[in-house]
Amino acid sequence: MSMLTPPGMGGKYRITGDKYPRMRRPRRRGRLVFGVVASVAALSLVGWGTLQLIDVFTGGGDKASAAGPKADCASKVSASPSAPALPKPSQITVNVFNATKRGGLAKKTADELKKRGFRIGDVGNATAAYDKKVKGTGLLLGPASALKTSLPVLGTQVAAPETRTDTRKGAEVDLIIGSAFKNLNSKAAADKALTALTHPQPAATSSKKSC
């Protein structure tokens, strides 16, 4: 049998016979990598288990996610639109007419309205179109522009008056005293009604979202 030395082996190995020795890489690096991977996997499992235990004892995940929709489903309060600006009594000119059989009622009522800040225009008996034909406490009459401004303000002074509009050009309004009229509302009651009219409380409305 011959003695041969493979090229590049530097003569370290001697080969005898007809078989070459197998060359194997050291296994230390493979074992090291396997150990690192196994350690990382073990730590991951421990961390995951810890998080699961925390969720069990604290009621995590589900409760936290449910908090969002529940918060959205809470009732929301919105204020009603603000009322239009109303004139002050001193900005309203009132004509007072008596449609009853009682004499002097128009002047007496006009004097009281003047004390309460209203401007007074004509005072006297009602025209034939209304004389003894107003069955209620009174009729408030004015232009269409006064329907939601001057007439409601004047209406705070009279108990349950009827309100109408006509085609007049001016801004003056009329109080035609009816047969059921006794007196103007008390000043305290009229002031309270006027405050409620000019400073209404916002109406709260609830809106809920479906959960």
Side-chain angles (χ1 to χ4, degrees):
M1 295 178 68
S2 62
M3 305 294 291
L4 298 175
T5 301
M9 298 301 294
K12 187 175 180 180
Y13 296 91
R14 293 176 63 86
I15 301 175
T16 60
D18 56 356
K19 294 182 180 180
Y20 287 87
R22 294 182 180 180
M23 305 300 293
R24 296 183 179 178
R25 297 179 64 183
R27 295 184 179 180
R28 292 182 179 179
R29 182 175 297 176
R31 292 177 180 177
L32 179 61
V33 172
F34 176 78
V36 171
V37 173
S39 299
V40 171
L43 290 174
S44 299
L45 288 174
V46 171
W48 181 80
T50 302
L51 290 176
Q52 294 301 312
L53 289 175
I54 291 174
D55 287 342
V56 169
F57 288 105
T58 61
D62 294 339
K63 185 178 292 185
S65 62
K70 286 184 179 180
D72 292 339
C73 292
S75 298
K76 295 183 178 180
V77 178
S78 59
S80 61
S82 58
L86 296 174
K88 297 178 180 179
S90 60
Q91 298 173 309
I92 302 173
T93 299
V94 183
N95 302 317
V96 184
F97 301 114
N98 183 8
T100 73
K101 297 178 181 180
R102 291 174 285 169
L105 196 56
K107 184 178 185 308
K108 177 182 177 182
T109 303
D111 289 344
E112 182 60 30
L113 286 174
K114 186 175 182 180
K115 291 179 182 178
R116 298 183 183 187
F118 290 90
R119 298 171 63 182
I120 303 301
D122 295 335
V123 179
N125 293 324
T127 62
Y130 298 104
D131 189 29
K132 302 182 182 59
K133 297 177 182 179
V134 179
K135 303 300 182 181
T137 57
L139 171 62
L140 306 184
L141 192 62
S145 60
L147 184 60
K148 294 184 178 180
T149 54
S150 300
L151 291 178
V153 174
L154 179 58
T156 62
Q157 310 298 311
V158 184
E162 182 184 356
T163 301
R164 296 181 193 174
T165 60
D166 57 17
T167 58
R168 72 182 67 188
K169 295 181 180 180
E172 296 181 355
V173 294
D174 300 342
L175 168 57
I176 304 175
I177 301 172
S179 58
F181 181 87
K182 293 182 179 180
N183 294 293
L184 292 173
N185 290 333
S186 68
K187 189 174 185 308
D191 288 346
K192 183 177 180 180
L194 186 59
T195 300
L197 183 65
T198 55
H199 298 87
Q201 294 295 323
T205 56
S206 301
S207 59
K208 294 184 179 181
K209 294 183 180 180
S210 57
C211 300

